[in-house]
């Protein structure tokens, strides 16, 4: 049987990712992040900050980060997110511009899998 703490952590990681990557991404960020400018950077700063804050609230006591880990965590969240989005936002923009909707949504799905994988790698590294 899986300990409840693992289910809790997975639920926190998935829900905070959804909130930070979708709910707090403005239309301007979504429409322009493929240009690798301020839209991408502001999206990733917002993403890392919101995810960091929510993890501190909902996971901090469980995993017991040190001060160094807290700073490192924010940097890792930002870098991992911008690396994935730099690639997938360009591909998605091209696919949706060509009205290749199925391929675009396949890429969106891959984007999410890459983000989930990076989040769980980060949790493993800072634990």
């Amino acid at each position: 049987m899986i300990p409840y703490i693992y289910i809790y952590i997975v639920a926190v990681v998935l829900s905070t990712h959804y909130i930070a990557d979708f709910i707090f991404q403005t239309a301007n960020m979504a429409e322009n992040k493929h240009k690798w400018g301020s839209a991408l950077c502001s999206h990733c700063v917002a993403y890392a900050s919101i995810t960091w804050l929510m993890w501190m609230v909902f996971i901090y006591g469980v995993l017991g980060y040190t001060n160094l880990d807290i700073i490192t965590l924010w940097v890792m969240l930002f870098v991992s997110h911008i690396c994935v989005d730099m690639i997938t936002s360009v591909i998605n923009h091209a696919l949706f511009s060509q009205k290749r909707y199925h391929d675009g949504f396949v890429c969106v799905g891959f984007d999410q899998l890459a983000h989930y994988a990076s989040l769980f790698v980060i949790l493993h590294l800072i634990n």
Side-chain angles (χ1 to χ4, degrees):
M1 185 165 168
I2 299 174
Y4 289 116
I5 191 65
Y6 295 129
I7 296 170
Y8 173 78
I9 290 171
V10 168
V12 169
V13 169
L14 297 180
S15 60
T16 56
H17 171 73
Y18 173 77
I19 291 166
D21 202 24
F22 290 97
I23 294 175
F24 282 92
Q25 183 171 192
T26 66
N28 180 60
M29 291 173 184
E31 293 166 4
N32 293 300
K33 64 184 180 179
H34 70 280
K35 298 175 186 174
W36 291 8
S38 62
L40 176 63
C41 191
S42 60
H43 167 61
C44 293
V45 166
Y47 176 86
S49 299
I50 292 161
T51 302
W52 178 88
L53 178 62
M54 294 181 76
W55 282 18
M56 292 302 98
V57 170
F58 296 107
I59 299 179
Y60 183 89
V62 176
L63 298 180
Y65 301 116
T66 66
N67 288 336
L68 177 61
D69 290 332
I70 290 171
I71 295 165
T72 303
L73 172 61
W74 189 93
V75 171
M76 293 171 83
L77 290 167
F78 176 83
V79 170
S80 68
H81 201 80
I82 203 165
C83 287
V84 171
D85 276 9
M86 284 178 75
I87 296 166
T88 58
S89 65
V90 171
I91 295 169
N92 274 331
H93 177 72
L95 292 171
F96 284 113
S97 294
Q98 297 168 15
K99 298 187 180 190
R100 294 173 54 191
Y101 300 116
H102 174 75
D103 295 335
F105 284 113
V106 168
C107 188
V108 169
F110 175 78
D111 170 85
Q112 294 306 296
L113 286 174
H115 287 312
Y116 294 147
S118 67
L119 292 171
F120 286 111
V121 167
I122 289 169
L123 270 180
H124 175 72
L125 292 174
I126 64 171
N127 188 9

